[in-house]
Amino acid sequence: MTDLLFREDAYLRDAPARVVAHTDEGGIVLDASIFYPTGGGQPGDSGRLDWPGGGLAIATAVKGEGGTVVLVPAEPLPLPRVGTQVMQVLDWERRHRHMRVHTALHLLSVVIPLPVTGGQIGAGSGRLDFAMPQPPEDREALEEALNALVDRDLVVSSDWIEAEVLEAHPELIKTMSVSPPRGEGKVRLVRIGQGGDQVDLQPCGGTHVARTGEIGRIRLGKIENKGKQNRRVNISLD
């Protein structure tokens, strides 16, 4: 199992690690990872590995067997040997845009309080699909409501609850197409706001900004018809 450093600190830009395995496909498994692996609609991180006498660009990260994170090299170059101490360096600008968009999508699910049937995060834009038979009547009001939540500069935090607690409160699960992130009988929750200022609480395994003010202005994009009961709502960072 890989120690998921990004879960504890999404702002880590670099960190040491040790190579523990290679995959048959040419991937690299470390004992600890700052690279987020593709999942939950969020792309895998990119960056590079450096070690004495070598270096390698990393195109993306994916989930491997047994709770591991597999780093996928950008080119078919020689890999660091098992046991090698390496330095992980994240493509921080890309990751930070993912964090801003991901948190913005949580806010979108607040201003559109309908079941989410799908979603995708990009480096600067994203979308959620909603169980929404009719399109919203006032697009400008939605955009204003989104940016009002950003401007409140709400704290974004996470904690873990027992899986049984989530089963007793299924209303916390907004996304119908993604299973809540579970680990050792626990579920990770991401909370936006605190106390009386709390506006959102839902299971999520992705990376987020520390405060909503860090997102910056959000623009509402196309609202697309994706079937009788579904609408796709696109957003982008200004």
Side-chain angles (χ1 to χ4, degrees):
M1 177 177 284
T2 304
D3 185 9
L4 307 180
L5 300 178
F6 57 83
R7 281 269 174 87
E8 301 304 320
D9 185 358
Y11 288 83
L12 275 178
R13 303 185 187 200
D14 54 68
R18 182 174 60 87
V19 178
V20 295
H22 298 153
T23 68
D24 294 339
E25 298 77 18
I28 304 165
V29 180
L30 305 178
D31 61 350
S33 177
I34 62 173
F35 290 83
Y36 177 85
T38 303
Q42 181 171 329
D45 285 325
S46 54
R48 63 177 293 104
L49 294 181
D50 291 310
W51 62 92
L56 194 64
I58 299 299
T60 189
V62 298
K63 294 177 181 176
E65 296 180 359
T68 59
V69 173
V70 179
L71 306 186
V72 180
E75 300 178 81
L77 297 174
L79 304 181
R81 294 180 179 180
V82 172
T84 301
Q85 293 290 329
V86 298
M87 178 61 72
Q88 310 171 72
V89 182
L90 210 58
D91 180 346
W92 171 248
E93 295 302 322
R94 179 171 178 265
R95 151 68 85 76
H96 191 236
R97 289 195 294 269
H98 289 163
M99 290 163 60
R100 292 166 63 199
V101 170
H102 199 158
T103 308
L105 290 177
H106 278 226
L107 295 181
L108 182 63
S109 75
V110 173
V111 300
I112 303 179
L114 295 172
V116 176
T117 58
Q120 191 65 46
I121 297 158
S125 63
R127 52 92 172 167
L128 287 181
D129 298 343
F130 293 93
M132 181 194 301
Q134 299 297 325
E137 293 182 2
D138 193 337
R139 288 168 45 91
E140 287 187 8
L142 276 180
E143 187 173 286
E144 287 177 9
L146 265 176
N147 285 295
L149 290 172
V150 170
D151 292 342
R152 285 170 63 180
D153 198 27
L154 299 164
V155 172
V156 182
S157 59
S158 65
D159 49 52
W160 293 81
I161 61 171
E162 300 296 327
E164 293 80 5
V165 176
L166 183 64
E167 291 168 7
H169 296 278
E171 70 277 5
L172 291 174
I173 303 175
K174 295 185 177 184
T175 307
M176 301 164 64
S177 60
V178 179
S179 298
R182 301 173 188 269
E184 299 180 355
K186 294 185 178 182
V187 178
R188 182 176 183 254
L189 295 179
V190 170
R191 183 189 313 272
I192 301 181
Q194 294 179 326
D197 281 337
Q198 180 177 307
V199 298
D200 190 49
L201 179 67
Q202 59 177 294
C204 182
T207 57
H208 292 270
V209 293
R211 305 187 71 97
T212 61
E214 198 173 328
I215 297 170
R217 183 163 181 80
I218 305 169
R219 291 195 177 276
L220 196 65
K222 289 183 179 179
I223 299 178
E224 305 171 79
N225 189 341
K226 290 296 176 179
K228 268 188 177 182
Q229 302 296 321
N230 282 281
R231 305 279 165 171
R232 176 166 295 173
V233 182
N234 296 275
I235 65 168
S236 61
L237 303 176
D238 190 356

